[in-house]
């Protein structure tokens, strides 16, 4: 955030990716919280590898990296005289490197529209996408915190979140974690229950790290603890992000999200989803139509190379799940807040 | 199981503990699935240590170990001439080594009633407790499988379970896993979704190991995947165990259980709880009155000694959660099956 912003966060935000001129400098999120290691990607295969192994993750950050990936394609195509079909093939490989988040495809497509204007124009489009996401993050944080204060009063809250939706996942303060940071800035956070978010521990590794850096009180819990803690009355609010929202309001997000939503619905705790408006995909009618990425079993069966299950046991490893719209108390985007679970709720407006 | 048993399981069962005369020989479950290591405990402190660090776990096995622990107290007291208050103190330390499972306290109390009859009488009481649990396991397996066949028909099912409730946790085939083994013996199991059961991975380490040994098709998933998989229609049945059941039918079981129950209720999938009848504690009116063990944060924050969360981040680590009776489709004990979630359900009979 720059000086003069109307809604400063409580602490500086981290930048997951920066365009260097030669390529994209990435904070390798697989190494956190042990080490803060940056790597620079300069060609298509490196971009795809960084996306697939989750060195960069989170819907908004994926969108930006996809756009810069198109810039790398454009530069290479210009230098080596690639034919149109080779350019299109490389761009398609980036666009589909992960299937669930709509932001990746949108970022790639937005940058691709500038291909005819040259490499600099594509870089400018990708940079504008980052800047726009930062402004959207701020607006989501403000609108979300306002909604929470109206709904729950101006008091310190016990908040649960799942996965990582902070500055590591976005260009600015993030989405769900941006709202939590803004609530903390206003003195409305007693503590944050951070779901560890198996299998890749984005909660304990990344969200806890961001909250520790920002000085927000928090505690890490296993994902299975969320429902019981909510039912015991120890949590006032849940805030999560989204990777894709169907036209009917169903929300695809990190696996484990719908369990939090079900517990909130049972206990009468508000379940808030925060995402940029273009996460709503009008081409996807409902949650059943959202492709759910199935990742490799070793993420579940081994930890840092050591097997934790018998050699003969396979795994089931969906990376996302779908929360029905009827379980979403509030959907916060930069254009406003809708209440899908309310009896006469309007459907979320397509982005 | 012995020859001539009317309901042979599909494969031999494992024995988590055996009385050797000198002490109790334990299968150290913290070492599975990497190594099958036995250890022999011969005094009170070793019994308590084995219970606290979960070398032995599972309600029925804890009950038996608690009873043998009283035998070790009796022998030591007889040899060293302990006064009554020292005997009572040692027994109380075993009884309260873990607070949630009622079986541990019941096993200790049952054995304690024979103290006046001498060491051999206490050993005999503990041995009878093991033998009785084995018979109960068989009856639970038969009654549970019968109920499932009546409810879902005689077809191969996709079953989810949480934590470990098999022979490692009991004297015989186990409770929930005993039902699953019996269903498999009858040809009614397509596959078992095994929740890995963080933080200690009793699902991926122990349940998957038992199913692999018994030749039952299965796949391991992170706990957060259970709800989404159930809502997608990929699971027909959930079967779990219980550590304590309140008089009103609320069920305390391994943390993460209530999330499975909520998803089953939402999706209309039967949620079955299996436990011996004495798991129902008439002295506990409801779930809110069940003490929930809070374990150390390092179980969540570190893996095999390596920290996975920032040094500054604390953990919230409840070992159990409570499933409201209204979410339990069937409660299977050795005395019969009740249906707590049915509109006019009778409360479960105290054991």
């Amino acid at each position: 955030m720059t000086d003069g912003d109307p809604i400063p966060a409580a602490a500086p935000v981290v930048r997951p990716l920066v365009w260097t001129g030669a390529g994209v400098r990435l904070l390798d999120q697989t190494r956190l919280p042990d080490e803060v290691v940056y790597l620079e990607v300069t060609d298509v295969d490196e971009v795809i590898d960084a996306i697939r192994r989750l060195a960069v993750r989170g819907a908004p950050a994926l969108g930006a990296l996809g756009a810069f990936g198109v810039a790398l394609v454009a530069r290479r195509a210009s230098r080596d005289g690639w034919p149109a079909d080779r350019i299109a093939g490389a761009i398609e490989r980036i666009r589909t490197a992960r299937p669930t988040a709509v932001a990746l495809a949108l970022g790639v497509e937005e940058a691709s529209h500038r291909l005819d204007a040259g490499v600099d124009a594509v870089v400018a489009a990708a940079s504008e996408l980052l800047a726009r996401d930062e402004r959207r993050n701020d607006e989501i944080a403000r609108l979300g915190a306002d909604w929470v204060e109206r709904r729950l009063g101006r008091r310190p809250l016990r908040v649960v979140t799942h996965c990582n939706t902070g500055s590591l996942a976005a260009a600015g303060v993030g989405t769900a974690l941006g709202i939590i940071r803004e609530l903390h800035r206003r003195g409305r956070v007693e503590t944050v229950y951070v779901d560890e978010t198996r299998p890749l521990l984005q909660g304990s590794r990344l969200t806890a790290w961001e909250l520790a850096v920002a000085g927000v009180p928090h505690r890490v819990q296993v994902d299975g603890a969320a429902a019981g803690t909510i039912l015991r009355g120890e949590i006032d609010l849940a805030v999560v992000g989204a990777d894709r929202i169907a036209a009917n309001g169903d929300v695809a997000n990190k696996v484990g999200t719908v369990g939090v939503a079900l517990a909130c619905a049972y206990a009468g705790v508000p379940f808030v989803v925060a995402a940029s408006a273009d996460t709503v995909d009008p081409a996807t009618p409902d949650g059943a139509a959202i492709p759910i990425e199935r990742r490799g079993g070793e993420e579940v069966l081994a930890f840092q190379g050591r097997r934790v299950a018998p050699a003969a046991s396979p795994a089931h490893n969906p990376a996302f799940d779908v929360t029905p719209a009827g379980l979403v108390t509030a959907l916060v985007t930069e254009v406003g807040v809708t209440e899908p679970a309310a009896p006469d709720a309007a459907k979320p407006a397509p982005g």
Side-chain angles (χ1 to χ4, degrees), chain A residues 178-212:
Chain A
I179 293 175
I180 292 170
R181 287 174 70 118
E182 175 62 12
L183 285 168
H184 176 253
R185 198 187 62 82
R186 299 182 188 185
R188 309 288 177 241
V189 172
E190 180 181 318
T191 194
V192 181
Y193 287 85
V194 178
D195 283 358
E196 64 173 4
T197 316
R198 283 279 292 153
L200 295 178
L201 301 174
Q202 291 95 335
S204 47
R205 290 192 304 110
L206 307 181
T207 299
W209 184 78
E210 284 198 48
L211 291 173

Side-chain angles (χ1 to χ4, degrees), chain A residues 36-73:
Chain A
V36 177
V37 175
Y38 291 87
L39 48 96
E40 188 155 346
V41 297
T42 56
D43 75 17
V44 176
D45 288 335
E46 290 172 350
V47 167
I48 290 170
D49 181 63
I51 292 172
R52 290 224 173 109
R53 66 183 189 83
L54 312 194
V56 173
R57 21 72 47 209
L62 286 174
L65 181 55
F68 284 120
V70 175
L72 293 173
V73 171

Side-chain angles (χ1 to χ4, degrees), chain A residues 37-134:
Chain A
V37 175
Y38 291 87
L39 48 96
E40 188 155 346
V41 297
T42 56
D43 75 17
V44 176
D45 288 335
E46 290 172 350
V47 167
I48 290 170
D49 181 63
I51 292 172
R52 290 224 173 109
R53 66 183 189 83
L54 312 194
V56 173
R57 21 72 47 209
L62 286 174
L65 181 55
F68 284 120
V70 175
L72 293 173
V73 171
R75 192 176 60 191
R76 182 72 180 275
S78 162
R79 200 176 60 196
D80 296 354
W82 284 6
D85 61 344
R86 181 155 185 194
I87 296 173
I91 289 174
E92 181 65 10
R93 285 172 55 223
I94 301 173
R95 200 178 68 84
T96 58
R98 294 190 71 196
T100 301
V102 71
L104 173 60
L106 287 175
V108 168
E109 286 159 15
E110 183 162 335
S112 301
H113 291 150
R114 306 292 290 281
L115 272 173
D116 291 344
V119 177
D120 289 349
V122 178
V123 171
S127 300
E128 168 51 23
L129 196 145
L130 264 187
R132 192 179 62 205
D133 187 53
E134 183 170 349

Side-chain angles (χ1 to χ4, degrees), chain A residues 135-154:
Chain A
R135 295 191 299 272
R136 287 175 175 171
N137 285 181
D138 290 343
E139 197 62 9
I140 289 168
R142 186 180 67 80
L143 290 170
D146 287 352
W147 184 90
V148 169
E149 286 194 338
R150 282 197 306 276
R151 174 73 172 239
L152 295 173
R154 300 165 71 85

Side-chain angles (χ1 to χ4, degrees), chain A residues 181-337:
Chain A
R181 287 174 70 118
E182 175 62 12
L183 285 168
H184 176 253
R185 198 187 62 82
R186 299 182 188 185
R188 309 288 177 241
V189 172
E190 180 181 318
T191 194
V192 181
Y193 287 85
V194 178
D195 283 358
E196 64 173 4
T197 316
R198 283 279 292 153
L200 295 178
L201 301 174
Q202 291 95 335
S204 47
R205 290 192 304 110
L206 307 181
T207 299
W209 184 78
E210 284 198 48
L211 291 173
V213 168
V216 181
H218 64 283
R219 55 196 77 179
V220 179
Q221 64 183 359
V222 298
D223 304 320
T229 306
I230 291 166
L231 264 60
R232 267 195 306 282
E234 295 176 14
I235 287 175
D236 305 301
L237 172 70
V239 192
V240 302
D243 289 83
R244 188 187 298 210
I245 301 173
N248 76 336
D250 292 349
V251 174
N253 192 46
K254 178 57 54 194
V255 68
T257 301
V258 68
V260 178
L262 288 163
C264 284
Y266 189 88
V269 169
F271 179 82
V272 174
V273 174
S276 63
D278 59 10
T279 308
V280 180
D281 181 14
T284 302
D286 56 31
I290 300 176
I292 299 296
E293 178 182 4
R294 302 270 174 123
R295 294 179 62 84
E298 71 285 357
E299 290 181 354
V300 178
L301 301 170
F303 186 89
Q304 291 172 344
R306 176 162 172 191
R307 184 101 181 172
V308 291
S313 298
H316 169 65
N317 188 20
F320 301 91
D321 62 25
V322 173
T323 298
L327 299 178
V328 177
T329 316
L331 169 61
V332 181
T333 74
E334 72 278 12
V335 299
V337 182

